[in-house]
Amino acid sequence: MTQTAVPPPTVRRIAGFAAPVVLSEAVALGAQFAVVAMLGAAGGHALYLRALYTPVGFLLLALNIGLSVALQVVAARAAGAGRRAELPGHLAAAARIGACCYLVCGVVVLAGAGPLGALLDVPAADRTPFLGFLAVMVVVNAVGGLGELCAAVLRGSGATGRGLLLTLTSAGLLLAGVGGLGLGADWGLAALPVAALGAGVVEVLLGAVLLRRAGLPARRTTEAAGEVRAAVVSVGVPVGASFLLLCVVNLVMLRVVAPFGPGAVAGFTLGSTLQSAVIVPAVGFGSAVAILVNQAGAAGDRTAARRAVRTGGLLTAGCYLAVTAVLWTAGAPLAARLSADPDTAGQAVRFLQLTGPSFGCTALALTALTLLEQTGHGVVAFTLNVGYFGAVIAVGGPLSAARHSTDALYLTMTAGACLGVAVCWTVLWWLLYRPLGAARRPVEQQDVRPPTGRGAPGAPGR
């Protein structure tokens, strides 16, 4: 396997490398919030039907995220090992896998649209528009998924700035389309699929241009489909499963706070939304460091890989120490202004007061989990996620019911975050520093290609 020199992972290099990835996460999250706000302003059934689409939307988003993260890992390993000529082949293989997954997913979604509509009590007059919206959004997400695969190759190969340009372009076109058609032309919900499809097509075309300008070969010189399939299984599936787990956990937590009234539910939702906005950039930090770790590991430089994790962790901790200090002083006044309803605002303030000090711990744990997911230890990360959320619900739920207050749940979340960050980083360091044997080498240090250079599956290491 060809080994290449890896630049030292200094604070400056990691910060510059991570900034576009962090901004991409923030822009994508902000765009989704803005779309929901514009659909709400459009009135009618626009926001209602969009809300009904949420469970299917989570499924399609998990599919996109799982595939793009798996391809990003493969691209980083190929770039680090000096095998950039393979990247177009990896992209083509991931696109084929995504097409097959979307075909199956589309059939399942359309077949289950009727039972889903009945489960959600969709009125008879809205069922036909709901079915049509689901069908169109499956196609729209498939196109957008291909654009995300282009961005994943760019990020994995080190061109994180070009990846950010793709995200900014797609988000800008989506918002312009929904705003212009949904509000300006009064299209309502119909503006969303049209705008999303247009943004996806432009993202794919621009992605092809940026891949060429990044110096990637125009033709596929090799096609290691087995390596992509192995990454989808070892990285993509656990990442997608973790995303769906978050959806389920959110629903369970809403059931825990539901007995305390609509104000508690709305306040918890506002507080957790603010929490997501604060901690989601930690995924960008973890993803950027994981790219550097995979590149260094593929180049055979485990010292650089370990230094990247250590430096990236310290950088993330420093950033979130400042964020926590800001939340400690300004979080409660901000939460109080998120709702005109005094009960809802009070509950949101209470959420911030009790859980805000642990946002930094949650973000650091999320960074470690992202590193685990994107360095071949996705099952470990998923297990840690299940353990954390299971403990919070198992302890916080009964305590809140017994004490007739949501405070017990929020304090349990805080305690779980403090314990979770210690556990996650301990597991991560153990996996990084454990002795390396011939049978225990991680996948980034194995040449999984067969002698002919064509697609025999490689076994992902742990």
Side-chain angles (χ1 to χ4, degrees):
M1 179 175 62
T2 303
Q3 294 186 351
T4 58
V6 177
T10 61
V11 171
R12 182 175 180 178
R13 179 172 184 246
I14 291 179
F17 193 84
V21 184
V22 173
L23 284 174
S24 294
E25 296 284 348
V27 167
L29 182 64
Q32 292 304 315
F33 284 143
V35 165
V36 170
M38 284 189 286
L39 290 178
H45 280 62
L47 191 56
Y48 171 67
L49 290 177
R50 173 61 178 81
L52 294 177
Y53 163 73
T54 298
V56 177
F58 270 114
L59 175 63
L60 298 177
L61 188 56
L63 175 58
N64 277 350
I65 291 176
L67 283 172
S68 62
V69 169
L71 181 58
Q72 178 177 295
V73 170
V74 172
R77 292 170 181 168
R83 298 187 275 115
R84 292 173 63 87
E86 296 183 2
L87 294 179
H90 292 316
L91 175 58
R96 286 198 302 272
I97 293 172
C100 293
C101 291
Y102 261 101
L103 182 61
V104 173
C105 189
V107 171
V108 171
V109 167
L110 295 181
L116 178 63
L119 179 65
L120 297 175
D121 293 325
V122 179
D126 290 325
R127 292 201 177 184
T128 298
F130 177 58
L131 179 61
F133 183 70
L134 287 184
V136 172
M137 289 306 292
V138 170
V139 177
V140 168
N141 275 273
V143 175
L146 182 56
E148 280 300 308
L149 293 181
C150 294
V153 173
L154 289 169
R155 289 191 298 266
S157 62
T160 56
R162 289 185 171 94
L164 173 60
L165 178 59
L166 269 187
T167 301
L168 288 173
T169 301
S170 175
L173 290 174
L174 175 65
L175 294 180
V178 173
L181 297 176
L183 298 178
D186 200 24
W187 282 26
L189 185 64
L192 177 57
V194 173
L197 181 60
V201 170
V202 172
E203 185 179 13
V204 172
L205 296 176
L206 179 59
V209 173
L210 293 177
L211 287 171
R212 289 287 301 276
R213 291 189 175 181
L216 300 184
R219 296 182 180 180
R220 292 177 286 145
T221 56
T222 185
E223 200 171 321
E227 192 172 354
V228 176
R229 286 197 297 267
V232 169
V233 172
S234 66
V235 178
V237 171
V239 168
S242 294
F243 194 84
L244 292 177
L245 174 66
L246 293 177
C247 176
V248 173
V249 167
N250 185 65
L251 292 175
V252 174
M253 285 191 172
L254 285 177
R255 288 186 62 85
V256 172
V257 301
F260 302 99
V265 173
F268 171 79
T269 301
L270 284 176
S272 60
T273 299
L274 180 58
Q275 181 188 42
S276 297
V278 171
I279 68 174
V280 159
V283 175
F285 274 112
S287 185
V289 174
I291 292 171
L292 298 175
V293 170
N294 282 315
Q295 289 179 349
D301 192 347
R302 284 187 62 81
T303 300
R306 291 165 175 163
R307 190 179 300 132
V309 172
R310 183 170 60 251
T311 306
L314 291 174
L315 181 62
T316 307
C319 290
Y320 273 96
L321 181 62
V323 169
T324 301
V326 171
L327 282 175
W328 183 260
T329 57
L334 173 62
R337 292 181 174 87
L338 291 177
S339 175
D341 177 59
D343 189 21
T344 298
Q347 287 289 338
V349 168
R350 193 61 178 162
F351 180 94
L352 263 294
Q353 287 175 335
L354 297 180
T355 65
S358 68
F359 279 10
C361 291
T362 304
L364 275 171
L366 194 56
T367 300
L369 290 172
T370 302
L371 276 164
L372 287 170
E373 288 174 341
Q374 297 188 21
T375 53
H377 305 290
V379 174
V380 176
F382 182 76
T383 302
L384 291 172
N385 260 324
V386 171
Y388 165 74
F389 288 119
V392 167
I393 292 170
V395 175
L399 281 178
S400 292
R403 298 188 178 186
H404 307 288
S405 172
T406 56
D407 286 4
L409 175 63
Y410 300 158
L411 288 172
T412 304
M413 292 172 64
T414 298
C418 296
L419 179 62
V421 68
V423 172
C424 289
W425 278 93
T426 298
V427 171
L428 178 61
W429 279 115
W430 180 80
L431 290 174
L432 281 175
Y433 281 96
R434 62 180 178 168
L436 293 177
R440 301 180 67 184
R441 289 186 301 161
V443 69
E444 62 266 28
Q445 287 194 285
Q446 299 176 18
D447 190 348
V448 299
R449 297 171 297 161
T452 60
R454 295 193 62 84
R462 281 283 178 262

